[in-house]
Amino acid sequence: MKFLSTRNPELRATFEEALFTGLAPDGGLFNPAETPDLTAIFNRFSPDTSFVDIASAVTAELFKEEIDPETARNLCERAFTFSPELRFLENRLSLLELYHGPSCAFKDFGASFLATSMEHFLEKEQRTAIILTATSGDTGSAVAKAFHGKKNIYVVILYPSGRVSPLQEKQLTTVGDNVEALEVEGAFDDCQRMVKEAFNNKELRARLPLTSANSINLGRLLPQSYYYIYAWAHRPDRHLPVTFCVPSGNFGNLTAGVLAWKWGLEVERFIAATNANDVVPEYLKTREYKPRPSVRTYSNAMDVGDPSNFERLQTIFGRSWEKMHAQINEEVVTDSETLEVIREVYKQSGAFFDPHTAVGYAASNRYRHSCGEKNEQIITLSTAHPGKFLEVVEEATGARPKLPEQLAAALELPKQSTVIDNRLESLSSFLLSHYE
Ligand SMILES: *Cc1c(COP(=O)(O)O)cnc(C)c1O
């Protein structure tokens, strides 16, 4: 499979090229250039097929020009030491838990596959890479964990000093080895600007093999399609069509599901569930796309005012509102509804939902009622462990979910970070003195 820019179909790239460049040279995003029919492969999967088996088969097929089947399996075995878990709830409603990885959020799937693929290509060519990334808290920990211990790769994470939660800071600063945490005296915007300036600095790029690992990278996007296939293969009711409900911010997760559908996965419909940051739902309602600054909500990993993957979705649907609208429903969930859902679910079953999962669950219920109990089963993607969002969950329920083992362990370790001011010169001198 080749990949092409959303802005210029003449700009084609291999998977390896797209992996290391991230953004297409014209500023567009890479999308698959072809739409393979994987139906025959999907039909071989059963409720007994493991996630690694599914990931290996699909990886081998998608990247067959660059990765042989044996290597594909090896990559997937190393990347996916954790699996999604499908949990049946009630009345045609299931939850696809995607938070059993090292940072307890679904971004572990993408980050881990990206890290393992990069390591594979770098080792083969005896090259090294330095991953430079800015984080406001959450994605950084998935990246740190995914790249930890990878050969030929160094990771430098910039985060705003005093502006991430104590738990997030521990997750970023206790990994060690090939992962460096830079505590920037400034805001997240400063971190992002410094990373951008570093990438645009010719001298620095000539001296250091800088590369990025941000969420628009294909190496993170594509493996997210694998768990939709897994959920379909493991669906509780074999006879009912599947609708996926996806709590969305930057829309990478939803885009990956749409790709799986394009490759032949039987999906009745997608529900795009957002919080008050509802530019995409608004587009689906009104045909108008009006990006705007994001507002803060309880489901803060979805606080995105101009989702970058919207450009990908538009390309996939041939820039046709009708086509996108035919496949994607929209639901907007407020903060007070989010709290209410967390409270109700806890009261009725004793289970904790994190605020992002709660947005998805509220959206699924509303969709189901508005459609008058259609003949379909809804699978809601559960994107984070409730223990990651203790404050909100406690506010809603009055109780505290247990911290998952991975996170509790990080709290015990000493913080290791280097404080720098918010100038490019400070970042440059750190990088050159450490890696040149
Ligand atoms: C990133 C994130 C989302 C949103 O996913 P997108 O791919 O950006 O739409 C939802 N929930 C959690 C917990 C996240 O970390």
Side-chain angles (χ1 to χ4, degrees):
M1 171 126 77
K2 291 283 195 298
F3 301 91
L4 41 79
S5 166
T6 46
R7 298 195 188 162
N8 176 3
E10 303 296 311
L11 270 177
R12 293 168 83 87
T14 62
F15 176 55
E16 182 178 356
E17 287 160 354
L19 199 61
F20 287 98
T21 48
L23 214 60
D26 61 350
L29 306 181
F30 285 115
N31 254 346
E34 302 121 55
T35 307
D37 181 358
L38 307 187
T39 320
I41 296 176
F42 297 160
N43 286 332
R44 290 207 297 272
F45 300 146
S46 77
D48 296 324
T49 316
S50 72
F51 183 69
V52 167
D53 284 346
I54 288 174
S56 306
V58 179
T59 300
E61 181 59 32
L62 289 179
F63 307 116
K64 62 186 169 198
E65 292 141 44
E66 294 171 78
I67 299 173
D68 63 64
E70 199 183 325
T71 308
R73 169 156 282 278
N74 185 277
L75 278 180
C76 291
E77 278 175 354
R78 282 189 291 142
F80 303 121
T81 53
F82 49 93
S83 171
E85 286 179 27
L86 190 63
R87 200 149 58 83
F88 179 71
L89 292 180
E90 84 256 317
N91 195 13
R92 300 175 179 173
L93 214 58
S94 305
L95 218 53
L96 182 65
E97 296 178 352
L98 300 172
Y99 54 71
H100 300 288
S103 85
C104 301
F106 84 91
K107 294 192 175 73
D108 285 327
F109 285 91
S112 196
F113 187 84
L114 173 76
T116 312
S117 310
M118 280 187 170
E119 182 186 45
H120 162 72
F121 287 116
L122 290 169
E123 248 189 317
K124 210 168 91 182
E125 291 151 24
Q126 300 283 310
R127 293 194 287 137
T128 56
I130 300 165
I131 308 280
L132 198 56
T133 187
T135 184
S136 57
D138 225 33
T139 41
S141 61
V143 169
K145 286 285 190 184
F147 281 94
H148 180 219
K150 293 279 178 284
K151 294 187 221 74
N152 305 25
I153 306 182
Y154 301 93
V155 180
V156 180
I157 297 175
L158 284 73
Y159 74 94
S161 180
R163 304 202 192 185
V164 302
S165 80
L167 176 64
Q168 285 173 334
E169 182 165 47
K170 282 285 186 169
Q171 283 188 282
L172 293 172
T173 57
T174 58
V175 178
D177 300 322
N178 61 330
V179 179
E180 285 281 348
L182 292 185
E183 188 174 348
V184 176
E185 293 171 327
F188 171 60
D189 292 339
D190 293 306
C191 301
Q192 245 182 343
R193 170 185 49 80
M194 290 160 78
V195 168
K196 232 185 225 158
E197 286 172 355
F199 280 117
N200 289 335
N201 187 294
K202 286 211 177 73
E203 192 206 331
L204 202 57
R205 297 208 69 169
R207 290 165 74 176
L208 296 170
L210 298 181
T211 197
S212 79
N214 55 24
S215 66
I216 49 99
N217 194 301
L218 262 188
R220 282 176 65 169
L221 184 81
L222 293 177
Q224 294 181 165
S225 63
Y226 300 172
Y227 44 70
Y228 289 88
I229 303 164
Y230 174 91
W232 174 84
H234 288 242
R235 67 196 181 282
D237 194 320
R238 313 305 292 170
H239 305 292
L240 286 178
V242 177
T243 284
F244 285 105
C245 178
V246 190
S248 296
N250 217 5
F251 281 79
N253 209 359
L254 184 83
T255 302
V258 169
L259 285 174
W261 167 71
K262 289 291 273 186
W263 302 333
L265 195 71
E266 294 167 37
V267 180
E268 181 74 7
R269 187 170 288 285
F270 293 93
I271 305 166
T274 72
N275 56 31
N277 295 283
D278 62 347
V279 277
V280 175
E282 183 180 84
Y283 168 77
L284 289 167
K285 274 201 209 94
T286 66
R287 298 176 181 240
E288 273 186 73
Y289 185 71
K290 291 188 284 194
R292 47 183 170 257
S294 63
V295 296
R296 282 181 74 114
T297 72
Y298 286 133
S299 44
N300 58 26
M302 307 190 331
D303 294 348
V304 183
D306 185 10
S308 44
N309 286 293
F310 182 66
E311 187 167 332
R312 275 198 170 112
L313 282 173
Q314 282 219 299
T315 313
I316 295 170
F317 286 104
R319 303 193 179 278
S320 153
W321 177 88
E322 281 77 14
K323 283 189 185 144
M324 195 189 292
H325 188 251
Q327 198 58 32
I328 307 179
N329 271 55
E330 75 282 350
E331 294 289 349
V332 181
V333 177
T334 63
D335 262 358
S336 59
E337 287 173 296
T338 306
L339 280 190
E340 185 58 30
V341 162
I342 300 175
R343 184 178 306 128
E344 273 305 307
V345 168
Y346 178 69
K347 218 164 76 187
Q348 281 171 18
S349 68
F352 290 106
F353 277 179
D354 92 278
H356 308 80
T357 303
V359 166
Y361 185 77
S364 300
N365 271 321
R366 204 192 295 150
Y367 167 83
R368 203 166 53 163
H369 291 127
S370 68
C371 298
E373 305 282 333
K374 275 207 306 193
N375 257 352
E376 62 190 318
Q377 57 190 316
I378 305 176
I379 299 179
T380 304
L381 275 57
S382 175
T383 49
H385 190 288
K388 282 193 99 160
F389 298 90
L390 279 180
E391 294 79 10
V392 184
V393 176
E394 195 172 8
E395 184 183 337
T397 63
R400 255 176 184 259
K402 236 182 100 181
L403 214 54
E405 217 176 287
Q406 302 94 299
L407 303 188
L411 279 179
E412 300 302 312
L413 297 170
K415 163 179 160 182
Q416 286 177 299
S417 68
T418 305
V419 178
I420 65 168
D421 63 39
N422 64 1
R423 293 172 309 132
L424 174 67
E425 296 80 69
S426 313
L427 176 61
S428 301
S429 53
F430 176 88
L431 293 174
L432 291 169
S433 66
H434 278 71
Y435 305 109
E436 199 178 34

